[in-house]
Amino acid sequence: MTKRPLCLGAAGVLSGILAAAYGWSVFARALLACGVLACGILGGIFADGYRPGDGISPAERKRTAFGAGVFLLMFALGSGRYLKAEESRQAYLGELQDGMYVTVQGQLAGKQVQKNRYVYELTSCMFRTDSSNFLQAEPVSCGGVLIYSDSDDCSIGDILIYHGEITLWKRASNEGAFDAKAYYFARGFDFAMEGPALDRKVCAKRQTAEALWQLGQQIKEVYLKTMGERDAGILATMVVGDREFLDAETKRLYQIGGLSHILAISGLHISVIGMALYRMLKKAGLPFGMAALAAAGVMYGYGGMAGWGVSVRRAVLMFLLFLGAQVIGRSYDTFCALAFAAVALLWKNPCLFWDAGFRFSFVAILGVVWVGQSISYEKKGMGALRGKIFAASAVWFTTLPLVAWYFYEIPVYAVFVNLLMLPMMGVLLGFGAAGGMVGLLSLPLAKGMLFPCRILLFMGKHICALAGMLPGAMWIVGRPQRWQIAVYYAFLGVGTCLLHRQREQREREKEHGRRAEQKNGGHPGVFLAALLLLAVLGVSRSGEAELDMLDVGQGDACYLQTKEGYHLFVDGGSSNVGKVGTYRILPFLKYKGVKKIDCWVVSHTDEDHISGLREILSSGYPVEYLAVAEQMPRDENWEELEALAEDAETKVVWLRRGDIWHFGNATFTALHPGESEDAFGGQSVDKNEESLVLFYQEDDFAGVFTGDIGATQEEEILTWLQKTKTGADVQKIDFYKAAHHGSRYSNSTGFLEALAPEIALVSCSRTNRYGHPSKEAVGHMQQAGSQVYYTMESGRLCVKKTDGQAVCRGYLEEKEQWWQ
């Protein structure tokens, strides 16, 4: 029971922060506090071996009451700390605008190197919105600021004053995309400055932090000179936390193998290096106190060299608590150390709870201690192997919801890859750190010492590649809903408690000289529970028709889900957003849990309609069919796309006017282009004019995809509809994809009035040289009775049919409500 008050205090701080952050009422906060308190008290009682029928002693009641008081006190402190921090933050953020010229003063707390640029992390910052001297008026205190500079002229610890324009963090405009605002706000950085002018600096008297950073850079140079750039980038990331040469392909490979965690300096690195050093010093004859002090100093310096990331701070703090317990002769409790580290980090920055590194770091340790230690196994033979598998599985299962939440897919074979690689991590980190230090004196000697690292990295690369080749290596589950995560952890908690009780029962039987029935803990229920947990995350989403127009800048990308679960896509490219398929389209599909596209329609082969599709096909993401117009001009872009489709085993379907393609109850009807000998294979024909135009209909949900056709083609479509007497079907539609991004030469009055769309969607960039959308086109849409929505203003646009009415929601408006 000695650890209960500290753990309840950490739970209280976290609960208070959550209650304050989401603006719950006083009643709801009190209800949350009582619920968490009850769970904590009951968990503590049962963890101490309580069985139904046992009485609770007066001493136990006192400890329970004390724990309740600690929880409620820390709940109030956590709530107040968050409210105070956010009130101060929101007061000055309201004064800032993107591109505003400001003067900023702060202390240089850290550096990074990114693509030949230096990123300075300023903390304890103050700013003014004019160029006046700080001494002439009171500046406004703010959070951290990131400075992007082409040169490294300052030392960590210096007080710096910069003049320049600020860049506010942008929110993600599509589901699944990187949200810079959420990421940097959680880490305490309010804005950035690109290449500002350095007004003055006050040099720091202590140069220890700068010396440690320079040492890390020198070790990185040793790796570059003695290894290939790829291996050097991986080893520098693991040992000194420098990601300058860590390429995206390597990160993806380690993600597939479930080894992404070893690329972030965490408890594994600190324990391997710190414990090895501590034991070595004790064996050398140093007293406990001297060995602990020396190890603490070295690991504190290592944390400074590694940049003091969230996981580094947590790991170093827990290691220092371990050394302190060793020195004073007290037992070390991981739960207490973890709770203390959580309170310390959250008190400094309450928003840190929303940081992915914070969540992964703490939940992984909980998996090791809470779940892993609840599983009993024999110490030798097959029992030991089974125990290692269960221990690795414990971390995997505990962090699984976080992996799904942030990456939308799960590496299925991660447990087995970790079983092969983690035992070698000590050797890899030990030789890596030693080789880096030796390389400062002798590169030939360092090259020999780093040779085992090259072998291990080679093995790791091929093990991850082999795991990626196995069937179902990455299971796309989409972002789970909060109820799924809650149910998942509830099942995991109940299962862990049962395993813990089972283990205690066996230990009591052994103490009384009786034979335990199951020595290994290889209970079939463990595997059934594992399948149940995975099933919770794999629950499919509701089947309702939905159209999503993604924000891809100046381009087109529309995702369509039918009621029966078919996944269709129309176009996918951009002329002003780089790697739009990799960073916007593919993350969106994974976020939605879409495992493959049944049909991808290409209206025409301009870059702003296919650049992302090329990346999708190259990535290996499955696309079953590619639909194009039979009269589409065959140009170089098409030849490249056709070759990619052939390599990806994607079948090409040619559509002509009047063709109808069925997807269950949903249909695609080709409205354009018509037959034209000049268009077939012609290079001189305007591709926009030959865009494939489709009419989609499923029950009472209908819409038109127009590509980039002009007013002439719109008139041709109307004439054809009247001749074939099918025009009555293509009217009063729910949604209309504005032709040619809202061009003045498209979206004619007659065409729009004939279709009478309830909602018009315009995909364009806020800054484009074409003047899209034009006032004339928008006026025509409004004149036809349409509600007009723009990706440049609302981000991703989602259209659904609700109670017989088409409703459109913008992603940025939804995010704004969350921020408020």
Side-chain angles (χ1 to χ4, degrees):
M1 287 301 296
T2 56
K3 64 185 177 182
R4 189 186 303 170
L6 186 55
C7 294
L8 286 174
V13 170
L14 179 58
S15 301
I17 290 173
L18 290 174
Y22 290 105
W24 298 336
S25 65
V26 175
F27 174 78
R29 297 183 195 183
L31 186 64
L32 171 69
C34 293
V36 176
L37 176 61
C39 292
I41 292 174
L42 292 176
I45 291 175
F46 281 96
D48 288 339
Y50 174 79
R51 296 183 300 276
D54 292 348
I56 301 179
S57 65
E60 174 65 25
R61 293 191 184 98
K62 290 181 180 179
R63 286 193 293 265
T64 299
F66 178 72
V70 170
F71 175 87
L72 294 175
L73 174 63
M74 299 304 290
F75 181 92
L77 291 175
S79 179
R81 177 74 180 99
Y82 177 86
L83 290 174
K84 182 179 179 181
E86 280 305 290
E87 182 181 359
S88 172
R89 196 176 203 177
Q90 295 303 325
Y92 63 79
L93 285 178
E95 301 180 15
L96 300 176
Q97 296 180 3
D98 204 26
M100 177 182 287
Y101 189 90
V102 301
T103 301
V104 172
Q105 173 183 301
Q107 185 174 35
L108 181 56
K111 298 180 185 179
Q112 300 177 37
V113 184
Q114 296 179 358
K115 298 180 180 179
N116 299 320
R117 291 195 309 171
Y118 292 91
V119 183
Y120 285 177
E121 300 175 357
L122 299 189
T123 58
S124 305
C125 296
M126 298 182 292
F127 75 92
R128 286 184 55 83
T129 55
D130 54 46
S131 58
S132 301
N133 191 293
F134 274 89
L135 300 177
Q136 296 176 357
E138 187 69 23
V140 179
S141 297
C142 65
V145 177
L146 292 185
I147 305 293
Y148 292 89
S149 175
D150 294 329
S151 60
D152 182 23
D153 303 320
C154 305
S155 300
I156 296 177
D158 289 350
I159 305 297
L160 307 176
I161 299 178
Y162 283 99
H163 299 304
E165 295 181 353
I166 67 173
T167 301
L168 298 180
W169 306 121
K170 301 295 189 298
R171 290 172 293 171
S173 56
N174 302 294
E175 288 99 332
F178 173 67
D179 195 323
K181 184 174 183 179
Y183 176 83
Y184 287 110
F185 268 34
R187 298 194 169 209
F189 294 103
D190 293 331
F191 56 86
M193 300 179 73
E194 292 274 355
L198 178 61
D199 180 72
R200 73 190 73 167
K201 67 178 179 178
V202 179
C203 295
K205 296 181 179 179
R206 298 179 181 178
Q207 297 293 326
T208 304
E210 177 67 19
L212 289 172
W213 187 81
Q214 293 293 346
L215 176 61
Q217 296 300 299
Q218 292 171 14
I219 291 175
K220 180 182 69 175
E221 289 298 322
V222 170
Y223 296 152
L224 288 171
K225 293 176 181 178
T226 56
M227 311 170 71
E229 185 175 296
R230 182 168 183 171
D231 286 346
I234 299 173
L235 198 57
T237 302
M238 291 182 179
V239 178
V240 298
D242 191 296
R243 294 173 171 263
E244 182 183 6
F245 296 102
L246 184 66
D247 58 273
E249 182 182 350
T250 299
K251 288 192 288 186
R252 177 61 181 170
L253 190 64
Y254 275 66
Q255 182 185 352
I256 292 174
L259 292 176
S260 297
H261 59 93
I262 71 174
L263 296 176
I265 295 179
S266 60
L268 175 64
H269 303 68
I270 301 300
S271 61
V272 167
I273 299 175
M275 290 302 300
L277 177 62
Y278 177 59
R279 290 168 181 167
M280 183 179 66
L281 292 175
K282 286 198 301 180
K283 288 183 179 180
L286 284 179
F288 275 92
M290 294 295 294
L293 185 62
V298 172
M299 296 317 297
Y300 189 85
Y302 179 71
M305 183 178 68
W308 287 120
V310 176
S311 58
V312 176
R313 280 180 279 168
R314 193 270 308 158
V316 170
L317 186 55
M318 292 182 67
F319 182 71
L320 294 179
L321 291 174
F322 166 79
L323 294 178
Q326 290 282 302
V327 171
I328 64 177
R330 299 292 296 272
S331 62
Y332 172 77
D333 185 86
T334 307
F335 275 116
C336 286
L338 195 65
F340 182 84
V343 172
L345 294 177
L346 289 174
W347 190 259
K348 183 176 181 181
N349 178 13
C351 292
L352 200 59
F353 172 75
W354 286 272
D355 179 71
F358 178 91
R359 294 180 173 182
F360 272 107
S361 182
F362 280 86
V363 172
I365 297 299
L366 283 174
V368 173
V369 181
W370 175 41
V371 181
Q373 293 184 1
S374 298
I375 303 172
S376 63
Y377 54 89
E378 298 293 334
K379 305 299 181 181
K380 297 180 181 180
M382 291 301 296
L385 176 61
R386 188 179 291 110
K388 291 180 180 179
I389 294 176
F390 281 154
S393 301
V395 178
W396 190 72
F397 275 109
T398 309
T399 58
L400 208 56
L402 290 180
V403 174
W405 180 267
Y406 287 104
F407 301 106
Y408 326 126
E409 55 186 347
I410 295 171
V412 175
Y413 306 107
V415 172
F416 306 104
V417 175
N418 276 270
L419 281 174
L420 293 173
M421 289 301 300
L422 286 184
M424 297 183 283
M425 279 301 298
V427 177
L428 179 61
L429 292 174
F431 277 95
M437 296 298 293
V438 170
L440 301 177
L441 303 174
S442 171
L443 285 177
L445 184 58
K447 190 172 184 179
M449 293 188 66
L450 292 173
F451 183 72
C453 297
R454 298 180 63 181
I455 295 177
L456 294 177
L457 290 176
F458 177 82
M459 292 175 56
K461 171 186 172 182
H462 284 81
I463 289 174
C464 290
L466 179 61
M469 295 170 60
L470 295 175
M474 295 298 287
W475 178 26
I476 298 176
V477 296
R479 170 166 283 189
Q481 300 181 35
R482 288 179 175 84
W483 71 264
Q484 290 177 291
I485 295 178
V487 171
Y488 181 97
Y489 278 122
F491 283 158
L492 186 63
V494 171
T496 301
C497 289
L498 293 176
L499 289 172
H500 185 76
R501 293 293 300 276
Q502 186 184 61
R503 180 175 181 174
E504 286 188 338
Q505 178 65 29
R506 290 175 189 158
E507 291 176 352
R508 282 194 294 268
E509 290 178 354
K510 289 181 180 179
E511 289 177 0
H512 290 84
R514 290 178 292 179
R515 185 182 173 209
E517 293 181 2
Q518 295 181 5
K519 293 184 178 180
N520 295 326
H523 199 283
V526 174
F527 299 101
L528 293 176
L531 293 176
L532 179 61
L533 290 175
L534 290 174
V536 170
L537 291 182
V539 173
S540 60
R541 299 169 187 266
S542 60
E544 64 177 319
E546 172 185 332
L547 170 73
D548 292 281
M549 175 179 278
L550 278 62
D551 177 20
V552 291
Q554 189 65 22
D556 266 347
C558 294
Y559 163 73
L560 184 62
Q561 174 184 289
T562 71
K563 293 180 180 179
E564 295 175 299
Y566 287 96
H567 304 287
L568 316 171
F569 216 97
V570 180
D571 289 332
S574 177
S575 60
N576 66 343
V577 175
K579 293 191 174 181
V580 67
T582 303
Y583 295 121
R584 297 206 183 187
I585 299 177
L586 192 55
F588 171 84
L589 293 174
K590 291 181 178 180
Y591 178 98
K592 303 287 283 188
V594 180
K595 298 174 177 59
K596 73 167 185 175
I597 293 296
D598 297 293
C599 175
W600 200 302
V601 176
V602 177
S603 66
H604 61 294
T605 57
D606 278 346
E607 280 295 302
D608 60 336
H609 289 255
I610 66 165
S611 63
L613 173 57
R614 284 200 299 255
E615 298 168 35
I616 300 295
L617 293 173
S618 300
S619 71
Y621 184 83
V623 177
E624 188 170 0
Y625 290 99
L626 202 65
V628 295
E630 189 177 75
Q631 304 300 321
M632 181 189 67
R634 274 56 157 185
D635 57 3
E636 293 182 3
N637 279 356
W638 166 247
E639 291 175 357
E640 181 183 0
L641 195 62
E642 187 179 32
L644 289 172
E646 184 178 354
D647 293 340
E649 299 182 354
T650 298
K651 297 178 281 293
V652 178
V653 176
W654 304 91
L655 299 178
R656 67 176 66 185
R657 176 180 286 170
D659 286 347
I660 301 177
W661 198 355
H662 293 266
F663 294 92
N665 291 329
T667 59
F668 268 151
T669 303
L671 306 181
H672 184 78
E675 294 184 6
S676 171
E677 295 182 0
D678 294 334
F680 186 82
Q683 301 294 326
S684 60
V685 176
D686 189 292
K687 289 189 287 186
N688 290 340
E689 297 177 358
E690 299 299 325
S691 292
L692 177 60
V693 178
L694 294 176
F695 168 58
Y696 159 78
Q697 186 173 28
E698 183 180 15
D699 298 334
D700 62 341
F701 192 50
V704 171
F705 298 94
T706 58
D708 281 355
I709 60 172
T712 302
Q713 291 73 48
E714 293 171 356
E715 186 177 349
E716 290 178 5
I717 293 173
L718 291 179
T719 301
W720 179 78
L721 289 173
Q722 292 171 357
K723 286 182 178 180
T724 56
K725 298 182 180 180
T726 59
D729 296 327
V730 191
Q731 63 178 344
K732 294 184 179 180
I733 58 178
D734 296 295
F735 64 87
Y736 166 78
K737 202 286 296 185
H740 207 171
H741 319 286
S743 169
R744 61 182 297 189
Y745 303 107
S746 309
N747 309 287
S748 60
T749 303
F751 189 59
L752 285 161
E753 289 181 346
L755 298 180
E758 195 168 336
I759 291 173
L761 309 173
V762 183
S763 177
C764 62
S765 174
R766 185 175 295 276
T767 55
N768 66 82
R769 58 189 177 89
Y770 310 103
H772 297 158
S774 69
K775 293 182 180 180
E776 295 89 339
V778 173
H780 295 164
M781 298 176 206
Q782 294 173 338
Q783 184 179 342
S786 303
Q787 301 177 35
V788 186
Y789 298 88
Y790 314 90
T791 57
M792 63 179 181
E793 292 182 354
S794 303
R796 182 275 296 139
L797 301 172
C798 177
V799 181
K800 294 182 180 180
K801 202 73 175 282
T802 305
D803 297 328
Q805 175 112 17
V807 178
C808 181
R809 295 178 292 110
Y811 184 65
L812 290 180
E813 282 80 4
E814 296 170 0
K815 294 289 286 184
E816 187 63 34
Q817 294 175 2
W818 183 89
W819 280 105
Q820 292 174 353

